[in-house]
Amino acid sequence: MAGKFIGQPIKRKEDVWLLTGKAEFLDDINLPGMLHAAFLRSDYAHARILKIDYSAALRRPGVVAVYTAQDFGDYWRPGPLQVPPPTAIKGSLFNAKPLVPIAKDKVRFSGEPLAVVIAESRYIAEDAFDDIVVEMEPLEAVTDLEKALEPNSPLIHEDLGTNLAANVIQQVGNYDEAAAQADVVIKRKILVDRGAAAAMENRGFVVDWNERAQELTVWANTQAPIPLRNAIAAKLGLFEDQVRVITPFIGGGFGPKIMTSQADDVLLPWIAMRLKRPIKWVEDRRENFLATTSERDQVHYAEIALTKDGKILGVKDVFYHDTGAYDPYGMTVPLNTQTHTISAYDVPNFYTEIKMVFTNKFVVTPVRGAGRPEGVYVMERLMDYAARELKMDPAEIRMKNLLRPEKLPYHTGVIGQDFVENVLDSGDYPAALRKAMDMIGYEKFVKEEQPRLRAEGKHKGIGIVCFTEGTAVGPYEGVRITVGANGKVNLVTGISTQGQGHFTSLAQIVAEQLSVPIDDVNVITGDTGHFHWGAGTFASRGITIAGTAAFSAATKIREKAIKLGSKYLGVPEDQIELSEGKIIVKGDPATFITLGDMAMRANPTRGVVEPGVEPGLEAVAYYGPPHGATGYGSVAMIVDVDPETMKVKVERFVIVHDCGTIVNPLIVEGQILGGMSMGLGQSFFEQMVYDENAQLLSASFMDYLMPQATDMPEKIEIGHLATPSPLNPLGIKGVGEAGAIPTPPAFAQAVENALADFGLQIMETPLSPSKLFGLARQARQGKGE
Amino acid sequence: MKPAPFEYYAPRSVEEALDQLAELGYAGKVLAGGQSLIPTMNFRMARPSALVDLNRIPELQYIRPTSDDGLAIGTMTRDSAVEHSQEVLRRFPLIGEVMPNIAHPQIRNRGTFGGAIAHADPAGQLPAISIALNANLKVLKKGSERWVPAEEFFLGPFTTVIEPDEMLAEVLLPALPPRTGASYQQVSRQRGGYAQAAVASVVTLDEDGRCKQVRMVMISVADTPALSKAAVRILEGQKPTPEAFKEVAEAVQAEIDPGTDVHATADYRRQLVRVLVNRSLTTAFARAAL
Amino acid sequence: MTKQYTIRLTVNGREYQRTVEPRLLLADFLRHELNLSGTHVGCEHGICGACTILFDGEPMRSCLLFAVQADGHDIRTVESLGTPEQLHPLQEAFNEKHALQCGFCTPGFLMSLVPFVESHPQPSEEEIREAIDGNICRCTGYENIIAAVKLATEKMAADQ
């Protein structure tokens, strides 16, 4: 559905602010009289708090106040949950342990806040930490997911009597029967370990209580301004309208910025109301690693049953999922794992079981991919082990089992994070695989180039995987579009923006529908003072859900403009069209009225307004899909491994992707490239490493390695397929997480392929040269499996 | 992460700096480039009560040829100046090989040649290079001056012979004899990142093509840069052969004690040393023969 | 409270005089004392590069400098590069090539690149990659940044 704007690589309108340093980010906000908050955090991951004495801190010049849990009285309480328990899934067990704002009696993760210091500057607030005397009784830490469920394990939440946070089983068909009939059953233990979102901008919060107006204004770099507003209002006993949450420009989200009911948003408004001064808190990088959410951290016992021809009969996956010390975000991440394990394949029998476990690490919530990468990693690895066992080519076994387009929409029988059945709505999965194979020259590489390279002693390998990506889930989003007297069009919506270009892509949709110049469309995102219904920016849903709402609202305005224009210009409606900001008569453009003048006329200062008519040229529209839209694709890569040092260079990276109708190809490609770089990071560079005391050893960029420019593939190619989604009028699907999901399994396959003579088996991600060395040695010593 | 408070001194001459250091004693810490020190201060892992900032002493920034065609490098000479100096590159191509591996240009624009050596990070490159090139280090305190060979300068992780009231003032690099070749080989996970292991070799051949001298230093595999005695024992006086290099690569395993951290196991580091010793010696001797 | 110091420095061509505590980081001084908030703070340990500025014309991390150390020196931040009406060729090229998404790292990239594009009229892809290796971007995967630098140097050569 390409048009004048939709489908065009329109340059982003917001760039000029960002490029000149004029864009306002959270820490750029300074209010008169503003104070600074800092959190004293626990070093111990598991300990009883015996005493916190902050009297000396209060005597330090520049310190205004210090609070611990006791000081908040009844205001201190856990929760609420941000995502409800999965009651939609029969037989599910869920032990709700929402976040607590600040530690009381006990700490459960290293970095948990013990006290909050309010001072004239962040420097002084940190000085005051030295004044605070903390006595704790350390307890044994829980870090291993399986050991955590053993009867003698220390308990994170004693009142539960267990560290089991949740147990959810979903089944399709009967796996045991399928396995009994299979020619081959392959079982593996697969580990997908933890990584951070590590957006370049850390989290922050500014709050100002206006005592006279009884209004609270919050600035937060949040992905969910409306839920945040509602949570703050509810906790403080205010009307929602008394709280305004404004999102400035946000320096990357990737998931963790969606969390609410954390120390900052719970405690700082309460403090601001009492001190009657604005308060700012900005997280530093160490805090971001310790106490902002992160993700992955699953142990899978997976198996696949096939015929000797490589046809999948069934898949079984029992996995442990680390939720960390609390479970405020429900089952979102592991449910995504469940829906994405069978991914793009025809798997008639499927058993999947989540054992969600509490540990002494910080909480796991979605990070770009949000559980989907784990499911895809497990499935793609199982396919690779099956291919090896059956002596089939990895591309061949995939082609054999991919769902054919005729089978779509395909009801998977697995309920997803949105509590509805995951339906693969549209697409041509084999076409994506075929196209990726063509783009990378798969057959030529495998048959001709690789044998030649191997004869030369080189270790180059190829990997090819398939994936699906659930996007654009509900519940809904909304927009309000208003044509101003100056003819310019203003769109406001509740979702916020962290770099996805909503200011431009939403404008494209509106400009297309209203036939106005794109520079005349202004977009405001994430300010609850402008718009206060919606859920937030996550799960690759922004452009699809808000975009569809924008399309609806723009359509309403278009229809009204035509109706009013017809009346005003005295011609039938089918003679009216919109062009360049004007309502004109078809074939007679000299007869027109501008949209702006029409809007003014529709808002009279005198006269009678007909019943049922709304003023101006304005429309509100909401959109909620029946279920998510599934993007999909295939990734192929060629790597070169130095077997002496086990360093890996990605020479070529090919991704074929289908996200339906593309609104802005620049933005879509940008999302794919960014996702790929995070996926590469998750494959070979990034890992959050905890020791046996649940101390985070990688709490800075010195140890947590972020991919650099020289780590990127030498040559990247993106191929597109575009199967419009049947779920919304524009046919859009999301794309934000596409690059991140398939990269780790493609990397693993390619490296195994490169080191085929070593015979090593990769059953974990992320990897490192040192880990590969260890695996190679294991393989040589005949261990492994 | 904001640094803790400190008293600040910015002397304008070496004499003033030494007076200041003498007065402060244990309380004073030299601030050179700050690219290693300031991060630790921001983390509040280091909390010096007083900083003596040497950045306002131009007389500490120089690269001067010496009478024997070596080089004297003032301690506050920026890494980037050393990296791009023709005087340095002509005499010591080894330094040219190493410098691009030290972090990134933005760090090298401020970091100093002497500062990195005085900082004595076991994973740092310049301490090892100073040993490989047989540097002599000038250490000053109020009223006296001493010279310490690089080999004797490093005592342990982040610890050197420099006393609290002293400062490093100059790195003196003696000229390399004819028929000398050098090679720096490193494995790091990312370009500019810390090396999991590295080897710097400086070798000299005599007229018959035998090894006259070998100085091979290994990085990140012990508390200080490790100058290999095994290399000397096996290679000096002999013709350099691939078999000999392999022998050295095995023999050094007894000289090193690498640790395990989040990036690499001790075993992997040993493997890297094996590989990099081979590569470094092979390349250095090939260059010496040119 | 430690002794405070009066510093005089030039920032973006303008002279400033302020009194500061020695431990005040240059990044914080620029952002909050001079209200030049275009320079961003990402890590405070010198690795991410978001805080990169020009110090006497050379790119350096402003999180690894104290404001007192800038006394008598010349600082340039992203605000000196261009205005919305008149963008620097680098800024134009970044926009054309979609080389920024969230934009938080962008000022650091731009300041690291200013001397590079001035001294490398025809950089190879390899040279560009190495020139930006000390800046971390979480959003773009670097490809479009490299394309933008190439385009910028072409623009600048054409303008000669």
Side-chain angles (χ1 to χ4, degrees):
Chain A
M1 201 194 150
K4 186 169 177 196
F5 299 109
I6 291 184
Q8 301 305 327
I10 310 262
K11 293 190 290 188
R12 294 194 337 169
K13 292 145 71 48
E14 57 267 47
D15 283 0
V16 72
W17 302 106
L18 296 163
L19 287 164
T20 53
K22 291 192 179 344
E24 185 173 71
F25 289 87
L26 194 287
D27 190 34
D28 304 340
I29 295 167
N30 289 314
L31 303 172
M34 192 169 77
L35 294 169
H36 296 260
F39 291 99
L40 174 69
R41 297 181 181 277
S42 168
D43 285 326
Y44 289 119
H46 203 196
R48 269 185 233 298
I49 302 171
L50 302 174
K51 178 173 103 168
I52 302 179
D53 178 356
Y54 56 76
S55 46
L58 292 173
R59 293 194 290 274
R60 179 179 282 270
V63 173
V64 170
V66 181
Y67 304 87
T68 59
Q70 278 69 21
D71 295 312
F72 295 99
D74 290 335
Y75 184 70
W76 183 100
R77 54 184 178 281
L81 289 179
Q82 198 160 345
V83 174
T87 46
I89 303 174
K90 278 217 297 259
S92 63
L93 162 74
F94 185 85
N95 289 322
K97 281 296 175 189
L99 275 177
V100 304
I102 189 170
K104 189 181 202 182
D105 302 329
K106 189 177 174 188
V107 297
R108 295 182 171 86
F109 63 94
S110 174
E112 187 158 19
L114 295 168
V116 51
V117 177
I118 309 289
E120 299 286 348
S121 78
R122 175 67 184 232
Y123 288 71
I124 294 174
E126 290 189 21
D127 292 342
F129 291 167
D130 291 341
D131 305 329
I132 302 177
V133 178
V134 179
E135 276 173 33
M136 298 216 269
E137 179 201 320
L139 303 167
E140 199 185 324
V142 178
T143 57
D144 182 287
L145 296 179
E146 295 174 82
K147 289 208 179 79
L149 296 182
E150 282 166 16
N152 52 354
S153 168
L155 293 174
I156 313 288
H157 300 279
E158 282 105 349
D159 59 324
L160 282 182
T162 175
N163 288 320
L164 184 70
N167 185 233
V168 171
I169 296 172
Q170 300 204 57
Q171 301 192 60
V172 176
N174 187 320
Y175 175 78
D176 290 332
E177 274 177 22
Q181 286 161 21
D183 296 320
V184 169
V185 176
I186 293 171
K187 304 185 188 191
R188 291 289 189 277
K189 177 179 173 183
I190 298 172
L191 169 67
V192 182
D193 209 354
R194 215 187 252 240
M200 292 327 301
E201 185 204 25
N202 290 316
R203 292 199 315 110
F205 193 86
V206 175
V207 56
D208 184 24
W209 168 246
N210 183 329
E211 175 84 2
R212 287 195 207 138
Q214 292 283 296
E215 280 173 358
L216 193 79
T217 308
V218 167
W219 290 262
N221 44 24
T222 172
Q223 294 171 232
I226 295 167
L228 181 62
R229 176 197 79 151
N230 297 342
I232 291 174
K235 287 211 179 69
L236 294 171
L238 299 173
F239 283 105
E240 278 129 1
D241 285 343
Q242 285 177 275
V243 179
R244 179 177 179 186
V245 173
I246 303 170
T247 61
F249 276 93
I250 299 178
F254 311 116
K257 283 178 174 152
I258 207 166
M259 289 303 295
T260 61
S261 299
Q262 298 181 99
D264 45 302
D265 62 88
V266 174
L267 304 177
L268 299 182
W270 187 94
I271 296 173
M273 287 172 81
R274 273 149 190 78
L275 294 180
K276 305 202 197 325
R277 283 176 70 176
I279 299 182
K280 173 193 275 191
W281 172 73
V282 179
E283 174 189 61
D284 62 41
R285 184 54 61 178
R286 182 173 165 268
E287 291 181 280
N288 182 271
F289 278 115
L290 284 175
T292 278
T293 59
S294 51
E295 195 224 310
R296 321 279 191 262
D297 216 333
Q298 294 181 351
V299 177
H300 288 252
Y301 289 89
E303 50 185 275
I304 186 168
L306 311 103
T307 68
K308 61 181 183 306
D309 302 320
K311 188 84 193 69
I312 300 173
L313 297 177
V315 170
K316 177 176 175 179
D317 185 22
V318 175
F319 67 100
Y320 296 82
H321 171 83
D322 185 356
T323 183
Y326 301 93
D327 57 11
Y329 218 72
M331 304 294 293
T332 303
V333 171
L335 283 176
N336 275 337
T337 307
Q338 288 190 315
T339 52
H340 285 71
T341 309
I342 52 179
S343 198
Y345 302 105
D346 187 355
V347 177
N349 300 286
F350 180 48
Y351 176 94
T352 170
E353 178 173 354
I354 305 168
K355 294 187 210 244
M356 191 158 96
V357 183
F358 290 116
T359 64
N360 286 121
K361 303 174 200 164
F362 193 46
V363 171
V364 164
T365 69
V367 171
R368 200 170 202 167
R372 302 176 191 77
E374 293 91 307
V376 169
Y377 189 80
V378 167
M379 187 64 189
E380 294 302 302
R381 293 274 70 213
L382 287 176
M383 298 292 277
D384 290 335
Y385 307 136
R388 206 185 234 180
E389 181 75 22
L390 295 169
K391 300 195 182 4
M392 283 176 81
D393 175 272
E396 186 195 349
I397 197 172
R398 283 165 171 83
M399 193 60 90
K400 190 162 190 129
N401 288 284
L402 284 174
L403 283 163
R404 294 307 189 256
E406 316 79 77
K407 281 208 151 180
L408 271 50
Y410 183 76
H411 288 73
T412 62
V414 183
I415 293 175
Q417 55 135 334
D418 49 354
F419 298 161
V420 298
E421 183 189 18
N422 187 35
V423 176
L424 305 173
D425 56 280
S426 60
D428 189 342
Y429 303 156
L433 176 59
R434 169 53 51 195
K435 190 170 174 128
M437 289 172 73
D438 288 345
M439 285 173 71
I440 203 152
Y442 187 84
E443 272 142 15
K444 181 156 187 252
F445 183 87
V446 170
K447 294 202 172 90
E448 296 171 26
E449 290 171 33
Q450 194 174 44
R452 179 176 50 80
L453 292 162
R454 282 185 171 149
E456 291 169 18
K458 296 222 169 45
H459 289 78
K460 282 200 215 244
I462 192 164
I464 191 154
V465 301
C466 303
F467 71 99
T468 58
E469 176 203 0
T471 74
V473 294
Y476 73 93
E477 287 302 328
V479 313
R480 184 175 67 250
I481 301 178
T482 311
V483 178
N486 58 3
K488 296 203 203 281
V489 183
N490 201 48
L491 178 151
V492 297
T493 180
I495 60 168
S496 62
T497 307
Q498 306 87 38
Q500 308 92 332
H502 293 145
F503 303 110
T504 304
S505 49
L506 288 174
Q508 286 172 257
I509 292 173
V510 173
E512 190 82 51
Q513 269 304 85
L514 295 182
S515 305
V516 295
I518 191 151
D519 287 337
D520 283 355
V521 181
N522 183 48
V523 174
I524 296 176
T525 66
D527 181 342
T528 67
H530 283 290
F531 199 86
H532 55 255
W533 295 107
T537 312
F538 56 95
S540 306
R541 67 197 291 274
I543 192 60
T544 310
I545 311 294
T548 303
F551 178 78
S552 278
T555 304
K556 283 191 203 176
I557 292 181
R558 180 186 188 85
E559 285 163 1
K560 185 171 183 183
I562 289 175
K563 188 174 186 164
L564 292 176
S566 151
K567 266 210 194 109
Y568 175 79
L569 297 171
V571 299
E573 281 183 30
D574 61 11
Q575 298 287 303
I576 297 284
E577 65 184 11
L578 302 188
S579 169
E580 298 295 319
K582 301 192 180 99
I583 305 169
I584 64 173
V585 175
K586 281 184 192 170
D588 178 21
T591 308
F592 72 91
I593 178 169
T594 66
L595 265 180
D597 285 346
M598 194 78 259
M600 271 209 305
R601 287 182 168 271
N603 183 25
T605 56
R606 293 287 186 278
V608 174
V609 170
E610 288 175 32
V613 171
E614 289 169 3
L617 277 180
E618 178 175 278
V620 175
Y622 298 96
Y623 171 69
H627 55 76
T630 303
Y632 66 95
S634 183
V635 159
M637 70 166 79
I638 293 178
V639 303
D640 186 14
V641 184
D642 177 343
E644 287 189 314
T645 63
M646 290 300 180
K647 287 205 69 179
V648 179
K649 183 71 198 158
V650 180
E651 292 189 343
R652 289 188 62 195
F653 181 93
V654 162
I655 178 166
V656 173
H657 188 258
D658 187 340
C659 60
T661 302
I662 291 179
V663 174
N664 187 324
L666 283 179
I667 292 178
V668 166
E669 286 209 359
Q671 290 297 307
I672 292 174
L673 291 170
M676 173 214 68
S677 77
M678 283 182 87
L680 260 186
Q682 232 271 303
S683 302
F684 206 51
F685 297 96
E686 303 178 38
Q687 184 168 5
M688 294 186 72
V689 181
Y690 292 85
D691 69 11
E692 67 279 3
N693 296 312
Q695 293 290 309
L696 180 59
L697 300 177
S698 49
S700 78
F701 287 144
M702 290 163 193
D703 289 310
Y704 190 85
L705 305 181
M706 303 280 280
Q708 297 167 189
T710 50
D711 296 323
M712 294 293 108
E714 283 167 15
K715 186 169 176 210
I716 300 172
E717 293 150 81
I718 302 178
H720 290 291
L721 296 175
T723 317
S725 167
L727 299 175
N728 56 73
L730 291 171
I732 314 172
K733 299 183 186 184
V735 69
E737 291 156 290
I741 294 168
T743 305
F747 187 86
Q749 192 196 113
V751 170
E752 264 180 6
N753 182 254
L755 297 172
D757 51 341
F758 284 71
L760 54 77
Q761 283 207 38
I762 293 172
M763 290 180 286
E764 63 185 293
T765 186
L767 298 166
S768 69
S770 180
K771 281 194 198 176
L772 285 177
F773 172 74
L775 288 174
R777 175 178 276 193
Q778 258 181 2
R780 256 198 321 274
Q781 289 163 355
K783 291 188 194 135
E785 191 183 342
Chain B
M1 290 146 35
K2 308 295 181 189
F6 53 85
E7 297 295 333
Y8 176 76
Y9 303 95
R12 302 264 161 178
S13 69
V14 174
E15 208 186 309
E16 218 184 302
L18 295 177
D19 280 343
Q20 206 57 255
L21 287 171
E23 214 178 292
L24 290 168
Y26 280 97
K29 178 109 184 89
V30 164
L31 173 61
Q35 305 300 280
S36 299
L37 177 61
I38 298 180
T40 60
M41 290 177 68
N42 287 347
F43 273 108
R44 294 200 182 209
M45 282 171 5
R47 295 186 181 216
S49 40
L51 286 184
V52 179
D53 184 344
L54 301 184
N55 285 282
R56 298 201 182 270
I57 308 178
E59 62 192 276
L60 285 174
Q61 297 192 33
Y62 55 88
I63 299 174
R64 277 183 218 129
T66 57
S67 53
D68 72 327
D69 206 36
L71 275 184
I73 300 180
T75 189
M76 287 300 290
T77 310
R78 304 287 172 199
D79 289 335
S80 54
V82 173
E83 183 183 351
H84 295 115
S85 156
Q86 285 309 310
E87 303 288 354
V88 170
L89 299 176
R90 184 166 64 74
R91 292 172 178 78
F92 305 104
L94 179 67
I95 296 180
E97 264 197 295
V98 173
M99 298 307 290
N101 290 294
I102 299 178
H104 299 285
Q106 298 90 337
I107 301 291
R108 300 200 292 275
N109 283 338
R110 185 73 182 174
T112 64
F113 197 73
I117 291 172
H119 188 59
D121 186 339
Q125 290 98 335
L126 292 181
I129 297 309
S130 69
I131 294 177
L133 291 173
N134 209 5
N136 222 349
L137 303 170
K138 179 156 96 170
V139 179
L140 297 178
K141 79 170 172 197
K142 180 171 174 172
S144 76
E145 158 185 314
R146 61 188 179 116
W147 287 88
V148 183
E151 253 175 86
E152 296 164 24
F153 187 75
F154 304 97
L155 299 176
F158 306 99
T159 318
T160 68
V161 301
I162 298 181
E163 297 288 326
D165 58 350
E166 289 182 315
M167 58 174 266
L168 177 65
E170 179 181 287
V171 181
L172 184 60
L173 299 173
L176 295 172
R179 277 184 299 277
T180 294
S183 168
Y184 177 74
Q185 301 280 340
Q186 167 183 302
V187 168
S188 58
R189 291 187 69 180
Q190 297 176 292
R191 198 164 156 281
Y194 277 115
Q196 274 70 64
V199 176
S201 305
V202 180
V203 306
T204 306
L205 296 170
D206 66 19
E207 289 97 16
D208 300 321
R210 283 177 207 280
C211 172
K212 187 168 167 186
Q213 190 182 76
V214 57
R215 293 180 73 80
M216 189 180 85
V217 186
M218 296 168 285
I219 295 171
S220 215
V221 290
D223 285 346
T224 60
L227 177 62
S228 173
K229 295 193 173 67
V232 173
R233 179 171 48 80
I234 294 169
L235 294 174
E236 278 186 4
Q238 308 296 327
K239 283 241 159 69
T241 63
E243 292 72 36
F245 303 154
K246 276 208 181 70
E247 202 189 324
V248 173
E250 285 312 315
V252 298
Q253 299 295 330
E255 295 182 315
I256 61 176
D257 184 22
T260 292
D261 62 19
V262 299
H263 298 301
T265 60
D267 279 345
Y268 174 67
R269 286 198 155 92
R270 285 184 179 281
Q271 161 69 2
L272 289 181
V273 166
R274 201 172 271 120
V275 171
L276 297 178
V277 162
N278 228 323
R279 292 182 185 176
S280 181
L281 291 174
T282 306
T283 308
F285 276 107
R287 286 176 177 161
L290 286 173
Chain C
M1 178 71 115
T2 54
K3 180 174 163 212
Q4 302 228 305
Y5 287 81
T6 301
I7 59 175
R8 278 174 202 78
L9 64 165
T10 307
V11 183
N12 299 335
R14 207 180 121 178
E15 275 184 32
Y16 292 90
Q17 179 178 307
R18 292 286 190 278
T19 303
V20 298
E21 218 191 340
R23 64 171 170 166
L24 180 65
L25 297 173
L26 180 61
D28 290 336
F29 174 78
L30 293 168
R31 290 173 45 70
H32 299 297
E33 188 58 42
L34 300 187
N35 283 318
L36 294 168
S37 60
T39 303
H40 298 144
V41 173
C43 74
E44 289 175 322
H45 44 282
I47 296 183
C48 78
C51 70
T52 307
I53 47 94
L54 294 183
F55 185 97
D56 293 345
E58 300 199 290
M60 283 186 206
R61 311 292 201 215
S62 60
C63 73
L64 298 187
L65 283 160
F66 298 114
V68 283
Q69 296 186 290
D71 182 31
H73 288 276
D74 182 284
I75 309 287
R76 277 186 68 198
T77 68
V78 69
E79 287 90 343
S80 72
L81 269 198
T83 59
E85 298 74 36
Q86 181 93 25
L87 294 174
H88 185 280
L90 264 176
Q91 291 166 317
E92 265 175 25
F94 266 59
N95 174 236
E96 263 189 65
K97 291 294 183 182
H98 191 39
L100 64 152
Q101 292 183 25
C102 82
F104 193 78
C105 71
T106 307
F109 272 88
L110 291 172
M111 299 320 286
S112 292
L113 283 167
V114 167
F116 177 79
V117 294
E118 284 168 5
S119 59
H120 292 74
Q122 284 188 313
S124 67
E125 188 186 304
E126 186 65 28
E127 284 176 319
I128 298 173
R129 233 177 247 283
E130 286 178 7
I132 61 171
D133 221 21
N135 288 80
I136 297 177
C137 175
R138 199 53 161 161
C139 294
T140 67
Y142 307 102
E143 290 306 298
N144 291 347
I145 295 176
I146 292 165
V149 176
K150 242 202 167 96
L151 178 62
T153 51
E154 283 162 17
K155 272 183 208 267
M156 288 167 72
D159 287 346
Q160 293 297 351

